[in-house]
Amino acid sequence: MIKIQTNTIFLLLLLFSTPAAALSQGKPERLRLIHADFLKRETIGQEVRQVLTGSVKFEQGKKTIECDLASQTIDEDPIALIGNVYIYDEEQSLFADTVYIYTKEFKLVAVGNVRSFTGNDTTTANRMTYFQKQKKVISEGDVRKIDPKEKTILTGGFAVYQREAKYGEVFDHPVLIQNDSLGNEIMRILADTMEVFENGQRTIAKGNVEIIQPDIKATCGQAEYIKSESEITLTDSPKILQRNQQISGDTLKLYLRDSKLNRAVVTGNALAISDADTLDRGKWLNKLTGQTMEFVFGDANELKKVIIKNQATSLYHIIEEKEYKGTNEVSGDRITIELVDGQAQTVQVSSSPDLSTGKYSPPNQI
């Protein structure tokens, strides 16, 4: 019986980052059976099965394994740890309903209410498979990774994590949630798939990407989030929807401050459209165009300033006291618009001499 459990623990040592020197020597620390209520040995035909039951506990150095039942058919895989399985060392803890250990494949499969704890994060799933030789972990079913330090939660249906490369892929409707210091959600990123680099310092979301903050939603085909730079780059038909406004272009960069949108810069075929009258949407549309646009947002995600550069144009419908007064249309090298409560307060146009234009059209000429 001890032989079987020694193999078990030795494999677990491999899976839980045993130092390379110990592995090369092939001499794990001595395994000690601390407790078991019963030991049973069964012979069925040519097979011999050994079972430990009742508050089973092993220790090996600083590692501990506990379960309700441990069993194996001699010289056969898998070894089964069943019921309230708990595997612990100083670097990582694993809880599960059942753990199957395949000694020949250097593989461990945890099934049912799986929870993995490290010093940095917590991962839960319906099933986790550890591949020691490939240094890979596959998580399946309601995957959820919580990083308290970064205040992030990453969820999905299926995830693959490469330990040495610190690289992961998440599939089946992945969602990345950023919380503030009080645990309130301030940003959510959804996509078809996500790639995570350097343990979440860089994330690439692909396919039907949505980035959601209070009063603001951005969509695109691909987004790259660099956490250290507080920057998200959107490509493949990027758009921002903000209250009654829509912003689009070839490339869109979001600059965050404390994970909230502070600035947005659109490069290439920049276009911004908004309703002139929020009570009669779609009737009159204000329109801004240019090669580059910068949008500055306030603390409540309200738009405060727009800077348009290169082939800048502005078409603005004038509505005063619910009465339509016509349009102002201006163009130049650079247009700066200051806004209050979503309404333009000042418009400044700068350009080389004779290149800026301005035109007012009364209602009867539109």
Side-chain angles (χ1 to χ4, degrees):
M1 187 65 181
I2 296 299
K3 173 179 178 293
I4 297 173
Q5 297 301 325
T6 300
N7 289 341
T8 301
I9 303 300
F10 183 51
L11 178 63
L12 291 171
L13 286 172
L14 296 177
L15 292 167
F16 279 74
S17 305
T18 302
L23 293 181
S24 62
Q25 296 171 3
K27 297 179 180 179
E29 296 184 56
R30 181 176 176 272
L31 171 69
R32 294 184 299 143
L33 173 62
I34 303 302
H35 181 271
D37 292 342
F38 300 100
L39 167 62
K40 182 171 65 173
R41 182 184 180 95
E42 300 175 330
T43 301
I44 304 174
Q46 299 297 316
E47 296 182 343
V48 179
R49 182 169 177 264
Q50 300 184 98
V51 181
L52 283 172
T53 58
S55 301
V56 180
K57 182 177 181 180
F58 286 92
E59 289 183 356
Q60 187 174 46
K62 296 181 179 180
K63 292 176 168 47
T64 300
I65 294 180
E66 297 179 5
C67 61
D68 295 337
L69 181 151
S71 71
Q72 184 196 27
T73 299
I74 297 299
D75 297 328
E76 296 291 337
D77 279 340
I79 299 166
L81 308 178
I82 300 172
N84 300 304
V85 182
Y86 171 47
I87 303 171
Y88 169 81
D89 68 13
E90 291 181 331
E91 297 181 357
Q92 184 174 358
S93 299
L94 176 69
F95 293 83
D97 293 341
T98 304
V99 171
Y100 299 101
I101 300 166
Y102 298 82
T103 58
K104 298 173 185 177
E105 301 176 51
F106 288 85
K107 181 176 76 173
L108 179 150
V109 180
V111 181
N113 299 305
V114 185
R115 292 160 289 160
S116 173
F117 300 88
T118 70
N120 298 319
D121 55 56
T122 299
T123 303
T124 62
N126 295 338
R127 178 187 180 100
M128 288 186 191
T129 304
Y130 295 78
F131 299 88
Q132 188 273 327
K133 289 186 177 180
Q134 296 91 340
K135 295 181 173 59
K136 179 173 70 174
V137 182
I138 294 178
S139 302
E140 302 171 72
D142 294 325
V143 182
R144 186 179 182 89
K145 181 179 180 181
I146 302 172
D147 189 328
K149 182 179 178 181
E150 299 294 339
K151 305 177 184 64
T152 58
I153 301 173
L154 178 60
T155 66
F158 184 90
V160 180
Y161 180 64
Q162 306 284 351
R163 287 181 170 180
E164 283 194 342
K166 297 181 180 179
Y167 167 77
E169 295 175 283
V170 188
F171 306 91
D172 193 8
H173 309 296
V175 178
L176 175 62
I177 299 171
Q178 179 71 59
N179 292 328
D180 62 16
S181 58
L182 298 177
N184 300 312
E185 181 179 325
I186 53 179
M187 182 174 67
R188 176 179 291 243
I189 302 176
L190 305 90
D192 292 340
T193 63
M194 286 188 189
E195 294 179 87
V196 181
F197 303 82
E198 294 298 324
N199 290 331
Q201 291 305 306
R202 175 171 165 251
T203 301
I204 296 179
K206 297 180 180 180
N208 299 304
V209 180
E210 296 183 9
I211 302 170
I212 301 171
Q213 289 199 344
D215 297 321
I216 290 181
K217 177 180 178 180
T219 64
C220 62
Q222 178 169 310
E224 181 178 13
Y225 178 28
I226 301 178
K227 192 170 181 62
S228 61
E229 302 293 331
S230 297
E231 177 183 307
I232 306 176
T233 301
L234 289 72
T235 55
D236 190 5
S237 303
K239 292 180 182 178
I240 293 179
L241 305 174
Q242 198 257 353
R243 296 173 185 167
N244 68 319
Q245 303 175 75
Q246 178 176 298
I247 301 166
S248 62
D250 294 341
T251 301
L252 200 159
K253 284 194 174 184
L254 308 181
Y255 296 90
L256 310 178
R257 179 182 294 169
D258 297 327
S259 298
K260 294 182 179 180
L261 183 60
N262 177 249
R263 290 190 305 130
V265 176
V266 186
T267 305
N269 298 305
L271 171 66
I273 297 174
S274 63
D275 284 296
D277 186 354
T278 57
L279 299 178
D280 194 356
R281 295 181 182 273
K283 186 173 183 179
W284 296 298
L285 294 177
N286 298 329
K287 184 177 180 181
L288 307 175
T289 63
Q291 285 304 305
T292 303
M293 285 191 203
E294 179 178 352
F295 300 83
V296 180
F297 296 88
D299 293 336
N301 281 346
E302 76 279 13
L303 184 59
K304 300 186 71 174
K305 180 188 287 188
V306 181
I307 301 171
I308 314 167
K309 300 177 183 178
N310 298 327
Q311 302 175 17
T313 67
S314 169
L315 174 65
Y316 183 75
H317 294 269
I318 306 167
I319 300 175
E320 296 178 354
E321 297 181 353
K322 300 182 180 181
E323 183 178 352
Y324 186 67
K325 299 291 187 177
T327 63
N328 274 329
E329 186 172 1
V330 296
S331 64
D333 289 337
R334 177 187 175 105
I335 299 175
T336 302
I337 304 172
E338 302 276 354
L339 300 98
V340 176
D341 296 328
Q343 300 298 317
Q345 299 299 303
T346 62
V347 178
Q348 295 180 334
V349 183
S350 59
S351 186
S352 301
D354 302 325
L355 292 181
S356 58
T357 63
K359 178 183 178 182
Y360 166 72
S361 299
N364 59 1
Q365 294 182 12
I366 298 174

